Coordinates of all heavy atoms in Angstrom, one line a residue:
T1 N 0.8 -1.2 0.0 CA 0.0 0.0 0.0 C 0.8 1.3 0.0 O 0.3 2.4 0.1 CB -0.9 0.0 1.2 OG1 -0.1 -0.1 2.4 CG2 -1.9 -1.1 1.2
D2 N 2.2 1.1 -0.1 CA 3.1 2.3 0.0 C 2.9 3.3 -1.0 O 3.3 4.5 -0.8 CB 4.5 1.8 0.0 CG 5.5 2.7 0.7 OD1 5.1 3.3 1.8 OD2 6.6 2.9 0.3
N3 N 2.4 3.0 -2.2 CA 2.2 4.0 -3.3 C 0.8 4.2 -3.7 O 0.5 4.4 -4.9 CB 3.1 3.5 -4.5 CG 4.6 3.5 -4.2 OD1 5.1 4.6 -4.1 ND2 5.2 2.4 -4.0
G4 N -0.1 4.2 -2.7 CA -1.5 4.6 -3.0 C -2.4 3.5 -3.4 O -3.6 3.7 -3.7
W5 N -2.0 2.2 -3.4 CA -2.8 1.1 -3.7 C -3.4 0.6 -2.4 O -2.6 0.5 -1.4 CB -2.0 0.0 -4.4 CG -2.9 -1.2 -4.9 CD1 -3.5 -1.4 -6.1 CD2 -3.3 -2.3 -4.0 NE1 -4.2 -2.5 -6.1 CE2 -4.1 -3.1 -4.8 CE3 -3.0 -2.7 -2.7 CZ2 -4.7 -4.3 -4.4 CZ3 -3.6 -3.9 -2.3 CH2 -4.4 -4.7 -3.1
P6 N -4.6 0.2 -2.3 CA -5.7 0.1 -3.4 C -6.3 1.5 -3.6 O -6.5 2.3 -2.6 CB -6.7 -0.9 -2.8 CG -6.6 -0.8 -1.3 CD -5.1 -0.5 -1.1
R7 N -6.6 1.8 -4.8 CA -7.3 3.0 -5.2 C -8.8 2.9 -5.0 O -9.3 1.7 -4.9 CB -6.9 3.4 -6.6 CG -5.4 3.7 -6.8 CD -5.0 3.7 -8.3 NE -5.0 2.3 -8.8 CZ -4.0 1.5 -8.8 NH1 -2.9 1.8 -8.2 NH2 -4.1 0.3 -9.3
P8 N -9.6 4.0 -5.1 CA -11.0 3.9 -4.9 C -11.6 2.9 -6.0 O -12.5 2.1 -5.6 CB -11.5 5.3 -5.2 CG -10.4 6.1 -4.7 CD -9.1 5.4 -5.0
N9 N -11.1 2.9 -7.2 CA -11.7 2.0 -8.2 C -11.2 0.6 -8.0 O -11.9 -0.4 -8.4 CB -11.2 2.5 -9.6 CG -12.0 3.7 -10.1 OD1 -13.0 4.0 -9.6 ND2 -11.5 4.3 -11.2
T10 N -10.1 0.4 -7.3 CA -9.7 -1.0 -7.0 C -10.7 -1.6 -6.1 O -11.0 -2.8 -6.2 CB -8.3 -0.9 -6.2 OG1 -7.4 0.0 -6.9 CG2 -7.7 -2.3 -6.2
R11 N -11.2 -0.9 -5.1 CA -12.2 -1.4 -4.1 C -13.5 -1.8 -4.8 O -14.2 -2.6 -4.4 CB -12.4 -0.4 -3.0 CG -11.1 0.0 -2.3 CD -11.4 1.0 -1.2 NE -10.2 1.5 -0.6 CZ -9.4 0.8 0.3 NH1 -9.8 -0.3 0.8 NH2 -8.3 1.4 0.8
K12 N -13.8 -1.1 -5.9 CA -15.0 -1.4 -6.7 C -14.8 -2.7 -7.5 O -15.7 -3.5 -7.7 CB -15.3 -0.3 -7.6 CG -15.7 1.0 -7.0 CD -16.0 2.1 -8.0 CE -16.3 3.5 -7.4 NZ -16.5 4.5 -8.4
A13 N -13.5 -2.9 -8.0 CA -13.3 -4.0 -8.9 C -13.1 -5.4 -8.2 O -13.4 -6.4 -8.7 CB -12.1 -3.7 -9.7
F14 N -12.5 -5.3 -6.9 CA -12.2 -6.5 -6.2 C -12.8 -6.7 -4.9 O -12.9 -5.7 -4.1 CB -10.6 -6.6 -6.1 CG -9.9 -6.6 -7.4 CD1 -9.1 -5.5 -7.7 CD2 -10.0 -7.6 -8.3 CE1 -8.5 -5.4 -8.9 CE2 -9.4 -7.5 -9.6 CZ -8.6 -6.4 -9.9
D15 N -13.2 -7.9 -4.5 CA -13.7 -8.2 -3.2 C -12.7 -7.8 -2.1 O -11.5 -8.0 -2.3 CB -14.1 -9.7 -3.2 CG -14.8 -10.0 -1.9 OD1 -14.1 -10.3 -0.9 OD2 -16.0 -10.1 -1.9
S16 N -13.2 -7.4 -1.0 CA -12.4 -7.0 0.1 C -11.5 -8.1 0.6 O -10.3 -7.9 1.1 CB -13.2 -6.4 1.3 OG -14.1 -7.4 1.8
R17 N -12.0 -9.4 0.5 CA -11.1 -10.5 0.9 C -9.9 -10.7 0.0 O -8.8 -11.1 0.4 CB -12.0 -11.8 0.9 CG -13.1 -11.9 1.9 CD -13.9 -13.1 1.7 NE -14.6 -13.0 0.4 CZ -15.3 -14.0 -0.1 NH1 -15.5 -15.2 0.6 NH2 -15.9 -13.9 -1.3
V18 N -10.1 -10.4 -1.3 CA -9.0 -10.5 -2.3 C -8.0 -9.4 -1.9 O -6.8 -9.6 -1.9 CB -9.5 -10.3 -3.7 CG1 -8.3 -10.2 -4.7 CG2 -10.4 -11.4 -4.1
L19 N -8.5 -8.2 -1.6 CA -7.6 -7.1 -1.3 C -6.8 -7.4 0.0 O -5.6 -7.1 0.1 CB -8.4 -5.8 -1.2 CG -9.1 -5.3 -2.4 CD1 -9.8 -4.0 -2.1 CD2 -8.2 -5.1 -3.6
D20 N -7.5 -7.9 1.0 CA -6.8 -8.2 2.2 C -5.7 -9.3 2.0 O -4.7 -9.2 2.6 CB -7.8 -8.7 3.3 CG -8.7 -7.6 3.8 OD1 -8.4 -6.4 3.6 OD2 -9.8 -7.9 4.3
G21 N -6.0 -10.2 1.2 CA -5.0 -11.3 0.9 C -3.8 -10.7 0.2 O -2.7 -11.1 0.5
I22 N -4.0 -9.8 -0.7 CA -2.9 -9.2 -1.4 C -2.0 -8.4 -0.4 O -0.8 -8.4 -0.4 CB -3.4 -8.3 -2.5 CG1 -4.1 -9.1 -3.6 CG2 -2.2 -7.5 -3.2 CD1 -4.8 -8.3 -4.7
K23 N -2.7 -7.6 0.5 CA -2.0 -6.8 1.5 C -1.1 -7.7 2.4 O 0.0 -7.4 2.7 CB -3.0 -6.0 2.3 CG -3.7 -4.9 1.6 CD -4.7 -4.2 2.5 CE -5.6 -3.3 1.7 NZ -6.6 -2.7 2.6
T24 N -1.7 -8.8 2.8 CA -1.0 -9.7 3.6 C 0.2 -10.3 2.9 O 1.3 -10.5 3.6 CB -1.9 -10.9 4.1 OG1 -3.0 -10.3 4.8 CG2 -1.2 -11.8 5.0
T25 N 0.1 -10.6 1.7 CA 1.2 -11.2 0.9 C 2.4 -10.2 0.8 O 3.6 -10.6 1.0 CB 0.8 -11.5 -0.5 OG1 -0.3 -12.5 -0.5 CG2 1.9 -12.1 -1.3
G26 N 2.1 -9.0 0.6 CA 3.2 -7.9 0.7 C 4.2 -8.0 -0.5 O 3.9 -8.5 -1.6
T27 N 5.4 -7.4 -0.2 CA 6.4 -7.3 -1.2 C 7.7 -8.0 -0.8 O 7.8 -8.5 0.3 CB 6.8 -5.8 -1.4 OG1 7.3 -5.3 -0.2 CG2 5.6 -4.9 -1.8
H28 N 8.6 -8.1 -1.7 CA 10.0 -8.6 -1.4 C 11.0 -7.9 -2.3 O 10.6 -7.1 -3.2 CB 10.0 -10.1 -1.5 CG 9.8 -10.6 -2.9 ND1 10.6 -11.5 -3.6 CD2 8.7 -10.4 -3.8 CE1 10.1 -11.8 -4.8 NE2 9.0 -11.1 -4.9
L29 N 12.2 -8.1 -2.0 CA 13.3 -7.5 -2.8 C 14.0 -8.5 -3.6 O 14.3 -9.6 -3.2 CB 14.3 -6.8 -1.8 CG 13.7 -5.7 -0.9 CD1 14.8 -5.2 0.1 CD2 13.1 -4.6 -1.6
V30 N 14.4 -8.0 -4.9 CA 15.1 -8.9 -5.8 C 16.3 -8.1 -6.4 O 16.2 -6.9 -6.5 CB 14.2 -9.4 -6.9 CG1 13.1 -10.3 -6.4 CG2 13.6 -8.3 -7.7
P31 N 17.4 -8.8 -6.8 CA 18.6 -8.1 -7.2 C 18.5 -7.7 -8.7 O 19.3 -8.1 -9.5 CB 19.7 -9.1 -7.0 CG 19.0 -10.4 -7.2 CD 17.6 -10.2 -6.7
K32 N 17.7 -6.7 -9.0 CA 17.5 -6.3 -10.4 C 18.6 -5.3 -10.7 O 19.1 -5.2 -11.9 CB 16.1 -5.7 -10.6 CG 15.8 -5.4 -12.0 CD 14.3 -5.0 -12.2 CE 14.0 -4.8 -13.7 NZ 12.5 -4.4 -13.8
G33 N 19.0 -4.4 -9.8 CA 20.1 -3.5 -10.0 C 21.4 -4.1 -9.5 O 21.4 -5.1 -8.7
D34 N 22.5 -3.4 -9.8 CA 23.8 -3.9 -9.3 C 24.0 -3.5 -7.9 O 24.6 -4.3 -7.1 CB 24.9 -3.4 -10.2 CG 25.0 -4.1 -11.6 OD1 24.5 -5.3 -11.6 OD2 25.6 -3.6 -12.5
N35 N 23.6 -2.2 -7.5 CA 23.9 -1.7 -6.2 C 22.6 -1.4 -5.4 O 22.7 -1.0 -4.3 CB 24.8 -0.5 -6.3 CG 24.2 0.7 -7.0 OD1 23.3 0.5 -7.8 ND2 24.6 1.9 -6.7
V36 N 21.5 -1.6 -6.1 CA 20.2 -1.3 -5.4 C 19.3 -2.5 -5.7 O 19.3 -3.1 -6.7 CB 19.5 0.0 -5.9 CG1 20.3 1.2 -5.3 CG2 19.4 0.1 -7.4
W37 N 18.4 -2.8 -4.7 CA 17.5 -3.9 -4.8 C 16.2 -3.3 -5.3 O 15.7 -2.2 -5.0 CB 17.2 -4.5 -3.4 CG 18.4 -5.2 -2.8 CD1 19.4 -4.6 -2.1 CD2 18.7 -6.6 -2.9 NE1 20.3 -5.5 -1.7 CE2 19.9 -6.7 -2.2 CE3 18.1 -7.7 -3.5 CZ2 20.5 -8.0 -2.1 CZ3 18.7 -8.9 -3.4 CH2 19.9 -9.1 -2.7
A38 N 15.5 -4.1 -6.2 CA 14.2 -3.7 -6.7 C 13.1 -4.2 -5.8 O 13.1 -5.4 -5.3 CB 14.0 -4.3 -8.1

């Protein structure tokens, strides 16, 4: 949710249980850059 997701239209498109599941899953970091993680 760090960059404004879910948006108002997101809440219209997806069930709250789906949104809660996505929030719980969260993010992770991968070595896409040489000196910074994506």
Side-chain angles (χ1 to χ4, degrees):
T1 57
D2 203 37
N3 291 289
W5 184 94
R7 296 164 288 272
N9 283 346
T10 316
R11 300 181 190 281
K12 296 177 183 178
F14 302 112
D15 186 275
S16 60
R17 292 173 299 173
V18 174
L19 299 181
D20 289 342
I22 295 170
K23 291 176 188 176
T24 301
T25 300
T27 63
H28 62 127
L29 301 177
V30 296
K32 192 172 182 180
D34 286 338
N35 64 336
V36 288
W37 295 85

